[in-house]
Amino acid sequence: MKCFLSVLFCVLGGFLQAADKPNIVVILVDDMGFADLGCYGSEIPTPNLDALAKGGVRFTQFYNTGRCCPTRASLLTGLYSHQAGVGHMTTDNGVPGYRGKLNDSCVTIAQVLQPAGYFTAMTGKWHVGHEPGVYPKDRGFDRSLNAAAGGFYFAGGDKAKAKLFLNGESIANDDPRLPKDWYSTDLWTTFGLKFIDEALAAKKPFYLHLCHNAPHFPLQAPADAIAKFRGKYKEGWGALRDARIQRQRDMGLIDAAWEKAPRPPTIQVWKDHTPEEQGRFDHLMAVYAATVHRMDQAIGDLVNGLKDRGVLENTLILFMSDNGGNAESGPKGRIDGDPTQAASNWFCGESWAFLENAPFRKYKHYNHEGGIATPLIAHWPAGMKTGRPSDHETGRLAHTPAHLIDIMATCVDVGGASYPKEHNGHAITPMEGTSLKPLLVSPSESPPISRSLFWEHEGNAAVRHGDLKLVRTGRNGPWELYDLKADRTEQHDLATAQPDKVKELVAEWQKWAERAHVVPYPGEGKATKGKGKKKAAN
């Protein structure tokens, strides 16, 4: 009898422990700038994300890697992307940091949470290698509906980009299991909720990794969504950017003392464009705004779905972007075809990316703040303390610098999981990040996180230690030094005035680059078998 009761208590204890574990939803959007949400200063209406921010925490100094594939690798593994084998894109360049797919020395959040009792699911853009051994189903996800890369919204366009995989098996875009005439932004949410229903039926906490294509090029949206924004961008990027920056200051997201980054010479003053050109630019940004607005609606559908299922209260939602706004296609952007159709190809271009990344410098690809700064919204009603009375009106702000590497550590912490030392016979690289749970649960009692953060992409590089940031453009570019507390818009280079500090931070970055497989670069050192596989779209 005693033995029976002992077993019963163990079973019930395990069940109750699983029941108390929070659900976790990580949402990643694609090519969205720091200033593109209403709760981060935008004029684009994003009421659903704004509501999550009001009931949660907005991070003002959260960082990605500045590019698609590296961000996805870092987010999934809690490592710097080169450590996971994805230092660039999905080409295998034959050296350890640039194999173009997740390597065997890393594990994903899903692989860590599964043994802790979680049902794991993934929907959307994968883009960390797509071949046997690297499919979501091979990397810890019980269920998945994904594309190998991204770059599509409607079915029927580029068949290679829009090719879908359900639990690792290729399916047609008109497969009867899919909604008819789907829009990818909605599709990822629809299947995310389907997978959540499976988790609830299995009486397991769930982890959902949801990666939107939006607002990545080719910009595409339904006609009615675009029509809402036509004419709203005829004020031009200068005036709209100033308005975003003022709202950011009013919200406490940025310091009013920071000088706004000036308009680059490649971007014309708005008034110097003809009315016809202004109309074209207005149309471009209207399509971009429509993709962001529709993405926000999908977030609302997801939140309402969680609420209807009675699980929103104990679900930690983390929302972020993979890099800053995208200047590819230059200051004029690109218009090719009808943006309400799958075969079109629209890019917003540099002029509007200047608005999207307000108040910062540069864009996607770069390691200046415009390339690597992203919103992070955290929402977890059951786990977060209310904070100050004013927080009920606006939500809390967290000013502690943090990075994608911290998401793994946070999931391990809140999920009661154990990060492994080895997996499938392979030694696993220790995770690099720090749990953000203390900042979420009780920020007033949380000690500041003291450490250095590092970046490298395409030779662009940076290290941040405390408030000092060292950054360069290109592998041979000069190092620039900024005090981000006084000058986060990177307007006053201190490198000449503080050469000893530059030398110290360069040495620290170089030591990290060697440890994290940033070096050898592709083309240097001894190549590894398998070099030369085709590169996927970005």
Side-chain angles (χ1 to χ4, degrees):
M1 185 65 176
K2 288 182 179 179
C3 181
F4 170 77
L5 290 174
S6 177
V7 171
L8 179 63
F9 288 146
C10 286
V11 170
L12 289 175
F15 176 79
L16 291 172
Q17 184 181 21
D20 290 337
K21 289 177 181 285
N23 307 302
I24 304 171
V25 177
V26 171
I27 304 170
L28 184 70
V29 295
D30 200 346
D31 282 12
M32 190 193 78
F34 179 80
D36 279 333
L37 303 178
C39 54
Y40 278 81
S42 181
E43 72 292 329
I44 301 172
T46 54
N48 296 293
L49 284 162
D50 295 354
L52 292 179
K54 184 177 179 181
V57 178
R58 280 171 293 166
F59 282 70
T60 64
Q61 298 192 81
F62 190 77
Y63 290 109
N64 52 44
T65 71
R67 190 74 181 279
C68 173
C69 299
T71 280
R72 290 162 205 281
S74 186
L75 172 60
L76 278 164
T77 66
L79 305 176
Y80 287 106
S81 62
H82 306 76
Q83 293 173 297
V86 191
H88 191 239
M89 301 295 282
T90 52
T91 299
D92 184 350
N93 288 298
V95 288
Y98 305 87
R99 298 308 307 271
K101 64 179 181 180
L102 296 181
N103 60 31
D104 291 328
S105 299
C106 67
V107 285
T108 68
I109 296 172
Q111 287 173 304
V112 174
L113 290 181
Q114 265 186 337
Y118 277 78
F119 185 99
T120 57
M122 186 269 165
T123 63
K125 179 176 177 178
W126 182 238
H127 219 188
V128 285
H130 205 258
E131 58 187 76
V134 200
Y135 297 132
K137 72 180 182 67
D138 301 323
R139 283 300 192 158
F141 289 98
D142 296 310
R143 298 289 183 272
S144 57
L145 177 72
N146 73 286
F152 66 94
Y153 292 82
F154 298 108
D158 186 319
K159 291 185 178 179
K161 289 183 178 180
K163 189 173 183 179
L164 298 177
F165 296 83
L166 180 61
N167 301 322
E169 300 298 324
S170 175
I171 64 170
N173 284 351
D174 60 355
D175 187 286
R177 289 168 289 183
L178 301 175
K180 188 177 180 181
D181 299 326
W182 51 260
Y183 184 65
S184 64
T185 302
D186 301 325
L187 181 64
W188 309 139
T189 300
T190 298
F191 269 78
L193 289 170
K194 283 180 182 289
F195 298 150
I196 285 171
D197 285 337
E198 290 192 58
L200 297 178
K203 294 181 171 55
K204 288 186 174 184
F206 57 82
Y207 170 69
L208 174 63
H209 193 82
L210 196 163
C211 298
H212 281 292
N213 295 5
H216 191 285
F217 64 86
L219 301 172
Q220 297 170 352
D224 60 340
I226 297 170
K228 291 179 183 179
F229 297 98
R230 288 304 307 271
K232 295 187 183 297
Y233 289 92
K234 290 192 173 181
E235 290 182 60
W237 37 77
L240 288 165
R241 190 169 188 270
D242 286 346
R244 286 191 180 191
I245 290 171
Q246 187 56 54
R247 286 190 289 268
Q248 290 170 335
R249 289 170 175 166
D250 293 343
M251 292 176 182
L253 294 167
I254 66 173
D255 192 326
W258 297 341
E259 297 176 24
K260 64 181 182 181
R263 174 181 51 82
T266 50
I267 301 173
Q268 281 187 248
V269 176
W270 179 257
K271 67 180 179 61
D272 291 345
H273 284 287
T274 67
E276 291 77 14
E277 290 170 335
Q278 291 179 355
R280 176 184 176 277
F281 277 118
D282 170 76
H283 198 178
L284 262 176
M285 191 59 190
V287 181
Y288 180 88
T291 67
V292 173
H293 185 57
R294 281 299 302 266
M295 175 271 294
D296 178 77
Q297 288 181 345
I299 301 292
D301 292 340
L302 176 64
V303 170
N304 288 333
L306 295 172
K307 192 179 300 181
D308 292 343
R309 289 160 175 81
V311 296
L312 178 63
E313 190 74 11
N314 197 28
T315 297
L316 170 61
I317 299 174
L318 298 167
F319 172 95
M320 67 210 80
S321 179
D322 67 344
N323 45 249
N326 181 21
E328 293 169 21
S329 77
K332 292 185 178 180
R334 178 175 178 176
I335 289 180
D336 181 7
D338 179 352
T340 69
Q341 302 297 316
S344 62
N345 194 16
W346 287 45
F347 289 65
C348 59
E350 183 183 6
S351 298
W352 287 125
F354 175 59
L355 167 69
E356 294 156 18
N357 295 337
F360 301 127
R361 284 177 62 192
K362 295 201 179 278
Y363 320 100
K364 172 184 177 180
H365 295 269
Y366 297 96
N367 292 163
H368 288 75
E369 295 291 286
I372 59 176
T374 171
L376 173 65
I377 299 171
H379 183 270
W380 182 19
M384 293 178 176
K385 293 184 178 179
T386 56
R388 299 165 302 175
S390 61
D391 294 336
H392 295 288
E393 298 298 323
T394 62
R396 294 200 311 260
L397 296 178
H399 299 294
T400 301
H403 189 283
L404 293 163
I405 56 175
D406 300 325
I407 302 302
M408 168 69 88
T410 304
C411 291
V412 168
D413 191 2
V414 303
S418 297
Y419 187 88
K421 292 183 178 180
E422 63 175 43
H423 183 76
N424 288 341
H426 300 279
I428 298 302
T429 305
M431 60 181 170
E432 292 276 349
T434 300
S435 175
L436 302 178
K437 182 182 175 182
L439 291 172
L440 305 181
V441 173
S442 185
S444 61
E445 301 170 11
S446 303
I449 300 172
S450 179
R451 55 169 172 182
S452 295
L453 297 171
F454 301 93
W455 292 264
E456 192 282 335
H457 185 67
E458 298 180 328
N460 304 313
V463 52
R464 175 172 178 167
H465 184 83
D467 291 322
L468 286 180
K469 178 183 174 186
L470 193 72
V471 60
R472 74 182 184 203
T473 302
R475 200 180 302 178
N476 299 314
W479 288 101
E480 305 161 22
L481 181 67
Y482 298 101
D483 177 355
L484 297 190
K485 185 174 179 62
D487 178 32
R488 196 174 168 209
T489 52
E490 298 169 316
Q491 296 304 298
H492 301 283
D493 183 2
L494 305 175
T496 301
Q498 300 187 38
D500 291 342
K501 181 56 69 173
V502 171
K503 185 177 180 180
E504 175 187 330
L505 290 174
V506 167
E508 186 177 4
W509 183 89
Q510 187 62 42
K511 184 177 179 181
W512 166 79
E514 293 168 1
R515 175 179 70 81
H517 305 304
V518 174
V519 293
Y521 293 110
E524 298 179 350
K526 186 177 180 181
T528 308
K529 185 179 179 181
K531 181 178 178 181
K533 292 185 179 180
K534 187 177 180 182
K535 178 181 176 180
N538 67 344

